[in-house]
Amino acid sequence: MNKPAMKMKWIILIALVLGTLPVLSKQKPNFTVWQLPSQVNTIGNSYVFRMNNGKVAVMDGGVKEEAAYLRGFLAALGNQVDVWFVSHPHPDHIGAINEILKAPDDIRIGTVCHSGFSAAFCALEPEYRAAALDFYANLKKSGIPVVDVTEPGLIIQLDQTTFKILAVKNEDITINPYNNSSMVVRVWDQSKSVVFLGDCGSEEGDRLLNSPFRNELDCDYLQMAHHGQRGVSKDFYRTIRFKACLWPSPSWVYNNDIGEGYNTHTLETVEIRELMDSLGIKTHYVSCEGLYKIQ
């Protein structure tokens, strides 16, 4: 074989090998996550995961009025929740799980993972103190094993899916205290990653950007902080990399409309939507639009 022919043989071989790389590197997803739809015209935050081996996890769960819908959803998955993550004890995050703790019926919860507040810290938001303390009391009464995370970095593995806690409560932050002590969780498998910001305010967002976990904030899917309004700063969103937005937002929050028309109220959601447009984010999952399934 002459040299030109030999050279062409190697070029073809290399091209064939390189051409298979995307196929070889494509990994089968290990988890499905559902963003549950808003059931009532109030803010809620509810996500359910199912791993390929049947393990189930829940993130928050929404307001108490959404407990019945969540019960039905979990029943379809076998009524077993292996790990239930709670970002912080505002009623729109703990309402449904608190109802289930009081009357589990057929639902079995293996572990609850949260970053529990002290009684003194709960008292910083008097209007929510009773709900938070009631949740903690019912959790203790339930006898369910609890992982109370006091330092970030904890990893929980379910099948081939990894849950990592990137931020926990910080009782030194007394501005917007409950939200700024949201437990932040990164979830990933071989094919995708999701970061759940809970209700992080700008103070916790800035702390995260300056933490050892900064690079782990980059993800495919990002849950918008505080339902997409008055959460982390715009610079936070400009700094990290992500491809799609998860909006746990009822229509009045998403459209900043409490009855006077689009973008007529004082919420900042539309500003954040416009920022997403400027960043080139084109994929949005909004809870007021119905049930979303991500694989």
Side-chain angles (χ1 to χ4, degrees), residues 11-192:
I11 290 173
I12 294 171
L13 181 60
I14 291 170
L16 287 172
V17 171
L18 290 176
T20 65
L21 287 179
V23 176
L24 293 173
S25 65
K26 186 175 178 61
Q27 299 290 323
K28 181 181 179 181
N30 184 253
F31 73 87
T32 298
V33 59
W34 290 270
Q35 179 176 261
L36 272 56
S38 303
Q39 296 300 301
V40 290
N41 195 29
T42 187
I43 296 174
N45 196 82
S46 188
Y47 296 87
V48 176
F49 305 80
R50 186 184 185 279
M51 275 46 74
N52 288 348
N53 68 356
K55 298 286 186 182
V56 172
V58 175
M59 184 72 65
D60 287 338
V63 296
K64 67 179 183 179
E65 292 84 358
E66 295 174 316
Y69 181 88
L70 182 57
R71 286 180 189 275
F73 202 92
L74 295 176
L77 297 179
N79 272 327
Q80 174 70 41
V81 178
D82 295 278
V83 184
W84 200 308
F85 296 88
V86 175
S87 63
H88 66 293
H90 268 151
D92 54 320
H93 295 254
I94 59 166
I97 183 177
N98 199 33
E99 292 300 301
I100 290 169
L101 291 175
K102 290 188 287 187
D105 296 333
D106 294 326
I107 295 177
R108 303 173 302 278
I109 302 174
T111 302
V112 171
C113 180
H114 73 146
S115 187
F117 294 179
S118 69
F121 196 67
C122 288
L124 293 180
E125 294 193 12
E127 66 273 39
Y128 300 120
R129 174 180 177 274
L133 294 179
D134 185 54
F135 164 66
Y136 291 144
N138 289 323
L139 180 57
K140 184 176 181 179
K141 190 185 304 182
S142 73
I144 296 169
V146 174
V147 177
D148 190 353
V149 190
T150 58
E151 295 291 337
L154 176 72
I155 289 176
I156 294 176
Q157 194 77 29
L158 293 178
D159 198 4
Q160 298 302 308
T161 298
T162 305
F163 296 76
K164 184 172 182 178
I165 311 303
L166 304 186
V168 297
K169 69 174 182 182
N170 184 340
E171 297 195 359
D172 292 331
I173 300 179
T174 57
I175 301 170
N176 192 15
Y178 280 32
N179 289 342
N180 273 318
S181 275
S182 292
M183 190 171 72
V184 174
V185 185
R186 176 183 172 86
V187 187
W188 72 94
D189 62 10
Q190 303 94 324
S191 67
K192 63 186 174 301

Side-chain angles (χ1 to χ4, degrees), residues 213-253:
F213 306 104
R214 157 63 191 89
N215 291 337
E216 294 178 80
L217 296 170
D218 296 339
C219 58
D220 298 311
Y221 302 89
L222 181 68
Q223 179 244 305
M224 306 303 285
H226 198 218
H227 314 276
Q229 76 91 26
R230 294 199 182 98
V232 295
S233 68
K234 292 179 181 178
D235 281 341
F236 181 97
Y237 290 124
R238 293 186 185 103
T239 300
I240 70 171
R241 293 179 296 171
F242 55 100
K243 301 174 183 177
C245 299
L246 305 181
W247 299 83
S249 313
S251 59
W252 64 271
V253 172

Side-chain angles (χ1 to χ4, degrees), residues 3-15:
K3 287 185 179 181
M6 179 66 74
K7 183 177 180 181
M8 182 58 66
K9 176 183 176 182
W10 280 109
I11 290 173
I12 294 171
L13 181 60
I14 291 170

Side-chain angles (χ1 to χ4, degrees), residues 258-270:
I258 61 169
E260 299 297 324
Y262 179 79
N263 201 25
T264 56
H265 193 45
T266 60
L267 306 182
E268 298 176 0
T269 330
V270 172

